């Protein structure tokens, strides 16, 4: 029931109509008996500052931030988490004691999805395909977990070099182009962060995974719709381990929820979120 004690949270982005976040978070509030509601606001870049100040003025508990505001919103937060600063993008805001704190749960969500398969990060060799915002979150996540080396693949050396240069104080990041990807590359993980495989590029893959890696290589695609991209299908057919982006999606939401409410993780789990997303035909 909405009453005088009901508190608000929201998504700030544009467009926002497609977002699963209101469905997922409102279901979690109900299950966890939290008197709050989550709405999606379509915010124009010119009014982002006022939108963030509005969170403070109206005593919002927090917000998620999505395209196109993940970078620009950083200038309006009072305290930026080091991982969000390293990525240069922020997707979760927490309002506490009149301060706005900024975090990036894309990184923690990605890493959490690996922890679920008991993945050991030390001494691992990683290949990241693509150099956009998602690639940077994946890169920072792996660096923070202490992997051995990371090769960044792009269609142009300038772009992979640019991504490598955007991270300071690490000497284990190597910019590459796709022609360097061959059978000799024994990566432990190969992550597709390009949109190839997703609508309108279903059936396409940026590389053929068949001849890359070894029998234990994990092939990870950030795409979750379709459930199995061409990249993952080919990897599966050559008997490799595959993971899609669904758990990253779920864990970034659970991590944001944890930042806002510090809830009991036993009471609202990955399986609960999965059920909500399925019941709502989101996946
Ligand atoms: P993006 O910036 O549009 O693209 C990422 C990179 O892919 C580009 O920088 C580009 O790198 C490469 N690329 C783009 N089009 C290509 C093409 N036709 N052929 C080959 N390479 C191409 O996207 P993003 O925001 O980083 O997101 C990437 C993907 O991750 C999307 O599919 C998104 O839905 C998904 N994602 C999933 C989650 C999750 O929770 N599971 C979270 C975030 C993002 P180069 O120019 O260097 O080649």
């Amino acid at each position: 029931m909405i009453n005088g004690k009901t508190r608000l949270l929201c998504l700030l982005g544009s467009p926002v109509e497609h977002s699963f976040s209101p469905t997922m978070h409102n279901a979690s509030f109900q299950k966890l008996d939290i008197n709050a509601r989550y709405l999606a606001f379509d915010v124009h870049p010119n009014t982002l500052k006022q939108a963030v100040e509005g969170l403070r003025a109206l005593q919002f508990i927090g917000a998620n931030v999505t395209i196109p505001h993940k970078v620009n919103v950083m200038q309006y937060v009072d305290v930026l988490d080091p991982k969000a600063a390293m990525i240069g993008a922020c997707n979760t805001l927490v309002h506490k004691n009149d301060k706005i704190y900024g975090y990036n749960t894309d990184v923690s969500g990605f890493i959490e999805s690996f922890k679920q398969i008991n993945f050991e990060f030390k001494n691992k060799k990683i290949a990241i395909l693509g150099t956009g915002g998602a690639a940077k979150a994946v890169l920072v996540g792996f660096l923070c977990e202490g992997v051995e080396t990371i090769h960044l693949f792009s269609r142009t050396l300038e772009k992979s070099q640019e991504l490598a240069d955007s991270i300071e104080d690490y000497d284990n990041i190597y910019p590459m182009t796709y022609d360097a990807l061959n059978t000799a590359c024994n990566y432990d993980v190969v992550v597709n962060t390009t949109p190839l495989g997703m609508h309108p590029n279903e059936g396409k893959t940026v590389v053929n995974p068949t001849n890359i890696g070894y029998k234990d290589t994990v092939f990870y695609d950030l795409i979750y719709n379709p459930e199995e991209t061409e990249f993952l299908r080919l990897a599966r057919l050559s008997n490799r381990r595959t993971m899609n982006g669904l758990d990253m999606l779920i864990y970034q939401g659970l991590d944001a929820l944890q930042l806002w409410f510090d809830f009991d993780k036993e009471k609202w789990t990955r399986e609960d979120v999965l059920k909500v997303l399925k019941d709502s035909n989101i996946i």
Side-chain angles (χ1 to χ4, degrees), residues 128-136 139 150-167 173-178 193-195 206:
I128 299 175
L129 317 178
T131 62
K136 193 156 183 189
L139 172 63
I150 302 180
H151 289 184
L152 301 177
F153 289 90
S154 167
R155 291 169 292 180
T156 62
L157 194 57
E158 289 74 20
K159 290 199 59 193
S160 49
Q161 184 74 57
E162 196 183 316
L163 179 56
D165 291 347
S166 70
I167 306 282
I173 310 169
Y174 300 90
M176 308 264 177
T177 51
Y178 289 110
T193 77
T194 79
V206 69

Side-chain angles (χ1 to χ4, degrees), residues 20 67 70 106 129-137 153-156 159-160 178 192-196 198 201 204 206 220-224 244-250 252:
F20 71 94
I67 289 169
K70 284 187 186 187
D106 283 335
L129 317 178
T131 62
K136 193 156 183 189
F153 289 90
S154 167
R155 291 169 292 180
T156 62
K159 290 199 59 193
S160 49
Y178 289 110
N192 175 42
T193 77
T194 79
L196 286 196
M198 194 174 75
N201 290 305
K204 292 190 183 160
V206 69
Y220 193 120
D221 202 323
L222 295 200
I223 296 167
Y224 53 87
N244 71 15
L246 185 58
D247 275 349
M248 176 179 177
L249 177 85
I250 291 174
Q252 63 78 26

Side-chain angles (χ1 to χ4, degrees), residues 1-8 29 33-37 61:
M1 191 174 78
I2 294 178
N3 56 27
K5 292 181 183 169
T6 306
R7 302 282 304 278
L8 286 173
F29 301 159
D33 215 7
I34 293 170
N35 188 357
R37 292 293 186 278
I61 287 178

